[in-house]
Amino acid sequence: MISKSESYTSGQESVTNSTWLIYILKEWIGLDYHYPNCMGSFLCVSLTIFFFPHLLWFFICIFCNICLHIYKRKNGLDDDFSNKSWDNGRLMVSRIISMYGKLWHGYEVHGIEKIPEGPALIVYYHGATSIDYHFFVCNLYIQTGRVSYSVVERALRMIPGLQLYLKLLTAVYGGREQCVEILKKGNLLGVAPGGARESFFSDENYGVLWGNRKGFAQVAIDAKVPIIPLFTQNIREGYRALGTTWFIRWFNERFQLPLVPEYGGFPVKLRTYIGDPIPYDPNITVTELVEKTKIAIEALRDRHQKLPGNILRALLERFDKHQKDD
């Protein structure tokens, strides 16, 4: 048994990080240190069970990317995604993602008829992951045939194995001018003003964390399009970030890291609610439009989300046939 007071000097046998972790967990849960293999197996199994559903989503995206590469090669396509020949590939991926959402989360989308036929800026609350927005985009395409461009973090460009999938679902990495141009061409565009900050540091109370971000409102005014508010019930119960812990928050803000530890993938009930459009008003200011949009999303949250969120309750809602009115 290793004493807590025993010091490890450079002359002693080195202790691996895994051994330190096992020792610490032994102290916490009282397992005997003389069985490292058993403890290591316990740790691996526990982490696999805990994080597997979250990793499953990533693997599904990679699977979709592989399917698209096969589809591209079989049909001799290039990267011109406006080509109608890509439509079946886009529908294939949308059905895979939609099926996953339906099977794992019982996913539903309500109010899709509120989306206008012309261009619009879709503004949504960003959970610990944007998986709900992927479900929404895919269901939108299946039901209406419309593609929604999506403003995403530039860091996603660096993730291998996802690029064709992101391109086909029309990820946008550019700035304000590109967004305005997309909308002026009559397209839908989705954006989460809270971005990574809202993803990392919001919690089960679903606080809208936009800070001083007003760019999306300026885009809507410049493009003269309405804003469509969007909120997904239980997204914080399905996937959670550890950004609210004081050390991780301090560490992240000090070093400006583009990620925080996350966990979850719990099969909670997810419902996306689409609010009434906020029409274009030539006389409204950017600040007023930001506030109006924020109030609209908070109204959707207050109507459809029980606060604070609770994982067990969200799981039980999978079996609840009753739901709040749209």
Side-chain angles (χ1 to χ4, degrees):
M1 184 76 178
I2 297 176
S3 171
K4 293 182 182 179
S5 62
E6 182 178 351
S7 63
Y8 287 81
T9 64
S10 58
Q12 293 178 307
E13 183 179 357
S14 62
V15 181
T16 65
N17 290 335
S18 61
T19 303
W20 274 109
L21 182 57
I22 291 171
Y23 169 65
I24 292 171
L25 288 176
K26 183 272 301 182
E27 292 295 322
W28 285 351
I29 64 179
L31 290 183
D32 190 77
Y33 182 72
H34 294 297
Y35 299 96
N37 292 333
C38 178
M39 187 62 185
S41 300
F42 169 78
L43 178 62
C44 290
V45 171
S46 299
L47 292 178
T48 299
I49 293 174
F50 199 57
F51 288 100
F52 174 74
H54 198 67
L55 293 174
L56 181 60
W57 165 240
F58 179 68
F59 292 142
I60 287 175
C61 290
I62 291 179
F63 173 73
C64 289
N65 199 73
I66 293 172
C67 290
L68 288 173
H69 276 287
I70 296 173
Y71 179 85
K72 177 182 178 180
R73 183 168 183 176
K74 182 178 179 181
N75 293 278
L77 301 176
D78 55 22
D79 287 346
D80 178 14
F81 298 109
S82 62
N83 189 329
K84 292 294 184 181
S85 298
W86 275 109
D87 288 354
N88 286 334
R90 184 177 285 112
L91 182 61
M92 171 186 67
V93 168
S94 295
R95 291 194 182 281
I96 293 172
I97 300 297
S98 178
M99 182 183 301
Y100 172 68
K102 189 68 176 178
L103 292 175
W104 193 255
H105 291 293
Y107 180 77
E108 301 172 7
V109 57
H110 298 269
I112 208 166
E113 70 281 354
K114 296 179 182 179
I115 297 178
E117 294 184 2
L121 183 66
I122 300 169
V123 178
Y124 63 97
Y125 171 82
H126 201 311
T129 175
S130 60
I131 189 173
D132 57 316
Y133 179 72
H134 287 253
F135 294 158
F136 162 73
V137 167
C138 292
N139 277 270
L140 176 68
Y141 185 75
I142 292 170
Q143 294 185 36
T144 69
R146 298 194 67 184
V147 175
S148 178
Y149 287 73
S150 307
V151 179
V152 301
E153 293 286 341
R154 290 183 175 89
L156 290 179
R157 282 179 170 178
M158 302 164 56
I159 301 178
L162 295 180
Q163 296 314 304
L164 187 56
Y165 166 74
L166 291 173
K167 288 177 183 177
L168 190 67
L169 294 186
T170 53
V172 176
Y173 303 96
R176 188 179 302 172
E177 294 77 13
Q178 184 183 7
C179 292
V180 172
E181 182 181 353
I182 289 170
L183 290 168
K184 284 186 174 181
K185 290 180 178 179
N187 297 299
L188 297 172
L189 176 66
V191 61
R197 182 176 181 82
E198 188 169 78
S199 171
F200 297 162
F201 304 127
S202 187
D203 57 19
E204 64 272 15
N205 290 304
Y206 290 79
V208 178
L209 306 181
W210 291 357
N212 197 37
R213 295 184 176 181
K214 302 178 181 179
F216 76 93
Q218 188 65 61
V219 166
I221 291 174
D222 291 346
K224 300 180 181 180
V225 298
I227 287 179
I228 311 296
L230 185 146
F231 176 83
T232 299
Q233 179 189 54
N234 294 328
I235 187 59
R236 284 277 165 190
E237 278 52 73
Y239 303 83
R240 290 199 167 181
L242 299 176
T244 54
T245 58
W246 72 267
F247 174 76
I248 292 177
R249 183 159 191 156
W250 169 85
F251 190 83
N252 184 276
E253 292 184 346
R254 180 176 178 83
F255 297 100
Q256 297 298 307
L257 298 178
L259 52 87
V260 300
E262 295 182 2
Y263 67 95
F266 306 120
V268 303
K269 182 70 175 181
L270 294 182
R271 296 188 183 98
T272 292
Y273 292 95
I274 302 169
D276 295 325
I278 302 172
Y280 166 69
D281 181 355
N283 299 315
I284 198 171
T285 67
V286 170
T287 301
E288 290 171 341
L289 185 55
V290 169
E291 188 61 24
K292 198 170 185 178
T293 307
K294 184 177 180 181
I295 290 173
I297 289 180
E298 289 176 336
L300 287 173
R301 176 200 65 192
D302 294 343
R303 182 178 184 184
H304 300 292
Q305 181 67 53
K306 294 180 180 179
L307 299 175
N310 180 276
I311 294 174
L312 178 59
R313 182 175 62 226
L315 287 169
L316 293 176
E317 287 180 9
R318 289 292 302 271
F319 308 100
D320 185 8
K321 299 301 181 182
H322 303 285
Q323 65 182 50
K324 297 182 181 180
D325 296 334
D326 295 347

